[in-house]
Amino acid sequence: MFALETFPWLTFVILFPIAAALLVPFVPDKGDGRRLRWYALVIGLLDFIVLVYGFYANYDFASAELQLVEKYSWIPQLGLNWSVGADGISMPLILMTAFITTLAILASWPVSLKPRLFYFLLLSMYGGQIAVFAVQDMLLFFLTWELELIPVYLLLSIWGGYKRQYAATKFILYTAGGSLFILVAGLAMAFYGGVTTFDMRELAAKDYALTFQLLAYGGFLIAYGVKLPIFPLHTWLPDAHGEATAPVHMLLAGILLKMGGYALLRMNVGMLPDAHIAFAPFLVILGVVNIIYAALTSFAQRSLKRKIAYSSISHMGFVLIGLASFTELGMSGAMLQMISHGLIGASLFFLVGATYDRTHTLILDEMGGVGKQMPKIFAMFTTCSLASLALPGMSGFVAEVMVFVGFATSEAYGTTFRVVMVLLAAVGVILTPIYLLSMLREIFFGQENQELTSHQDLVDAEPREVFIIACLLVPIIGIGLYPKLVTQIYDRTTSQVVMLLRSHATIPTALLSAPSLPD
């Protein structure tokens, strides 16, 4: 008899879209992709619905332990197991991955070039991205991390812009090169101490020497710093975003960048706590550099895609500061920033694609005065930009405030260091509304570009586009007004991580009284 209690929820949501992708060549289609896009959308919706039900029925908010655990022997000769599970660190990112990927499928409606391959790649990424957040075996994690690179490379190199080959090649060189550090550090941890294991929980329980931890931490930091991305390993991202199409933008900004933050929290912080304590001040400095450097660079960009790309890099700097705060509030803020930026970044890049489809230009100097012809796009672009600049009442504001307060109240650092870092990070916060509001002014206000308005059909947003943005704005505003919608999923787990760090270092007990976010 079928029992929901024993149903393999995570295995199903990972393998179902991958299996459906393998059936794409057999879907009857006339070559225009109409049936294929409906097929992909139905698969995406079904997978998302199953995931939400499995989460609702089986996830316990009061537990910090791994849940929905499934483990099957795969290749016993290598000690490789199909091991998946979800806790507070991974569950919200799994839900966000399914949500954004389903919307990305809907955003790909205009795609007509090689639709079979396109939707095959999207559905393959659907399962592969969830697997990165769900797998609990180090070797399996490396395999899923690597397999996710291939669809992105193809999506960039085939459906990208004029410099798509350069952007795709740069992406694969940076990310595949960084992956080598995951393999080396992961294998070293697996073989350490004479007991070979790839299980992440068993790896976290090993007693590593400090020198070994520092070396492994440095290797992971390089690998995950490429994906996050951290300065100076970030240069692939503006090129990739500069050539990508709207659905690929949504996957890059909404999901792929979060893989780096998740892996830092899962492995660097959770498995190598002594090394994290040593590296933490360096992470704070890198986070501040990310915020200021990328904000200033974004301010100088004249390409709309590159401006938003550098804005993403800037916002991810808050994740680094939160991870290095040693406070529950700061760690919670880092998690919320990943979720918030995933939603906001996906919405902004989708609107960039929608604007380009109408104006056929990304250069701000060639735009101007199109707000009258496209009032709905103007309204949606403005709302999402306000979310990105951390307007109170939206998710970005709550996440950044939590990181700021969490770090500012951390007694793990001296007062001078905290004050200097907070003031420098605040510079980036001030720059963000300047470049985003000036961007809106250049696109929608000012003197009209007569050549643009007279030769292009500047139609306003269609219902499909309004629906996609509405779906993204609901959680953005919902989290901004009531953060507990999301924080209750991971609070227990992040608190456990902070307690682990406290047990490995002499951190003042005043941390225990650090302010927490009210319900």
Side-chain angles (χ1 to χ4, degrees), residues 127-172:
Q129 291 172 144
I130 293 176
V132 169
F133 296 120
V135 296
Q136 299 300 318
D137 184 280
M138 180 64 78
L139 192 55
L140 187 59
F141 174 83
F142 172 76
L143 293 175
T144 55
W145 185 278
E146 286 294 282
L147 289 175
E148 163 268 326
L149 304 181
I150 300 172
V152 178
Y153 173 80
L154 293 175
L155 288 168
L156 282 173
S157 61
I158 297 175
W159 289 273
Y162 178 71
K163 296 182 179 180
R164 58 185 180 274
Q165 296 295 339
Y166 171 78
T169 302
K170 193 171 184 179
F171 165 79
I172 203 71

Side-chain angles (χ1 to χ4, degrees), residues 33 52 75 135 187 209 214 217 250 301 349 351 365 475 496 506:
V52 171
I75 307 177
V135 296
L187 289 176
L214 293 172
Y217 191 104
M250 296 174 71
Q301 296 300 308
F349 275 113
L351 289 171
D365 297 329
Q496 188 180 69
T506 306

Side-chain angles (χ1 to χ4, degrees), residues 285-463:
I285 295 171
L286 283 177
V288 171
V289 170
N290 255 45
I291 293 170
I292 297 178
Y293 161 78
L296 289 171
T297 308
S298 179
F299 188 79
Q301 296 300 308
R302 305 308 302 159
S303 167
L304 184 56
K305 286 185 177 181
R306 295 180 71 87
K307 183 179 284 288
I308 303 298
Y310 276 105
S311 176
S312 293
I313 297 171
S314 178
H315 283 92
M316 293 308 289
F318 289 99
V319 175
L320 292 175
I321 296 175
L323 293 180
S325 66
F326 294 102
T327 64
E328 294 179 12
L329 187 61
M331 194 74 71
S332 181
M335 275 295 302
L336 193 61
Q337 178 69 352
M338 285 194 279
I339 298 164
S340 171
H341 181 266
L343 299 167
I344 296 171
S347 66
L348 281 175
F349 275 113
F350 173 72
L351 289 171
V352 169
T355 304
Y356 176 76
D357 289 342
R358 290 158 172 80
T359 62
H360 300 286
T361 182
L362 293 169
I363 307 304
L364 292 171
D365 297 329
E366 298 175 359
M367 299 180 182
V370 299
K372 292 181 180 179
Q373 289 89 346
M374 302 187 298
K376 293 178 184 177
I377 288 184
F378 162 64
M380 294 188 295
F381 221 133
T382 301
T383 305
C384 295
S385 296
L386 292 175
S388 183
L389 61 82
L391 183 75
M394 295 190 175
S395 59
F397 173 78
V398 181
E400 292 183 13
V401 166
M402 289 172 70
V403 170
F404 267 117
V405 177
F407 176 73
T409 56
S410 173
E411 296 188 14
Y413 301 99
T415 303
T416 302
F417 182 78
R418 280 183 286 149
V419 170
V420 171
M421 292 298 104
V422 168
L423 289 177
L424 289 175
V427 173
V429 175
I430 295 170
L431 288 173
T432 302
I434 296 175
Y435 65 72
L436 286 177
L437 294 178
S438 64
M439 175 192 72
L440 293 174
R441 175 182 56 79
E442 291 185 271
I443 298 172
F444 298 104
F445 295 103
Q447 186 176 357
E448 289 188 9
N449 183 337
Q450 294 298 327
E451 183 178 354
L452 176 65
T453 56
S454 61
H455 290 83
Q456 302 293 343
D457 186 15
L458 297 176
V459 296
D460 205 2
E462 58 185 58

Side-chain angles (χ1 to χ4, degrees), residues 29-361:
D29 189 75
K30 297 179 180 179
D32 55 5
R34 291 184 179 181
R35 291 184 180 179
L36 286 167
R37 65 195 187 191
W38 279 108
Y39 171 78
L41 182 60
V42 169
I43 295 298
L45 282 172
L46 285 175
D47 207 54
F48 179 61
I49 291 169
V50 170
L51 175 61
V52 171
Y53 180 80
F55 164 72
Y56 176 78
N58 298 280
Y59 190 84
D60 181 9
F61 296 120
S63 174
E65 300 304 317
L66 206 61
Q67 304 180 53
L68 302 173
V69 178
E70 301 150 23
K71 188 172 183 179
Y72 313 98
S73 179
W74 187 12
I75 307 177
Q77 294 85 349
L78 294 176
L80 180 59
N81 298 306
W82 175 264
S83 177
V84 294
D87 59 8
I89 297 174
S90 55
M91 194 72 236
L93 296 174
I94 291 172
L95 290 167
M96 185 180 72
T97 296
F99 179 63
I100 291 178
T101 308
T102 302
L103 291 177
I105 294 172
L106 185 58
S108 64
W109 231 239
V111 172
S112 58
L113 175 65
K114 299 181 180 179
R116 288 193 188 275
L117 178 59
F118 185 86
Y119 289 110
F120 169 82
L121 295 173
L122 277 190
L123 289 175
S124 299
M125 283 192 68
Y126 199 131
Q129 291 172 144
I130 293 176
V132 169
F133 296 120
V135 296
Q136 299 300 318
D137 184 280
M138 180 64 78
L139 192 55
L140 187 59
F141 174 83
F142 172 76
L143 293 175
T144 55
W145 185 278
E146 286 294 282
L147 289 175
E148 163 268 326
L149 304 181
I150 300 172
V152 178
Y153 173 80
L154 293 175
L155 288 168
L156 282 173
S157 61
I158 297 175
W159 289 273
Y162 178 71
K163 296 182 179 180
R164 58 185 180 274
Q165 296 295 339
Y166 171 78
T169 302
K170 193 171 184 179
F171 165 79
I172 203 71
L173 288 176
Y174 269 71
T175 52
S179 298
L180 293 176
F181 291 93
I182 303 177
L183 180 62
V184 173
L187 289 176
M189 292 175 66
F191 296 129
Y192 187 89
V195 178
T196 302
T197 179
F198 294 104
D199 186 278
M200 288 186 179
R201 284 176 290 183
E202 295 177 7
L203 291 176
K206 283 188 175 184
D207 185 17
Y208 303 103
L210 179 58
T211 303
F212 178 87
Q213 283 199 40
L214 293 172
L215 291 173
Y217 191 104
F220 283 143
L221 183 60
I222 293 172
Y224 305 140
V226 169
K227 190 63 70 76
L228 191 63
I230 299 173
F231 175 89
L233 305 173
H234 68 286
T235 58
W236 66 270
L237 183 66
D239 291 314
H241 272 306
E243 305 303 321
T245 55
V248 181
H249 280 312
M250 296 174 71
L251 298 177
L252 281 172
I255 303 169
L256 265 72
L257 271 62
K258 311 309 170 291
M259 292 179 181
Y262 162 78
L264 280 174
L265 179 54
R266 171 72 68 195
M267 298 178 193
N268 290 53
V269 181
M271 295 184 182
L272 305 167
D274 294 319
H276 179 68
I277 293 166
F279 269 93
F282 181 58
L283 288 188
V284 174
I285 295 171
L286 283 177
V288 171
V289 170
N290 255 45
I291 293 170
I292 297 178
Y293 161 78
L296 289 171
T297 308
S298 179
F299 188 79
Q301 296 300 308
R302 305 308 302 159
S303 167
L304 184 56
K305 286 185 177 181
R306 295 180 71 87
K307 183 179 284 288
I308 303 298
Y310 276 105
S311 176
S312 293
I313 297 171
S314 178
H315 283 92
M316 293 308 289
F318 289 99
V319 175
L320 292 175
I321 296 175
L323 293 180
S325 66
F326 294 102
T327 64
E328 294 179 12
L329 187 61
M331 194 74 71
S332 181
M335 275 295 302
L336 193 61
Q337 178 69 352
M338 285 194 279
I339 298 164
S340 171
H341 181 266
L343 299 167
I344 296 171
S347 66
L348 281 175
F349 275 113
F350 173 72
L351 289 171
V352 169
T355 304
Y356 176 76
D357 289 342
R358 290 158 172 80
T359 62
H360 300 286
T361 182

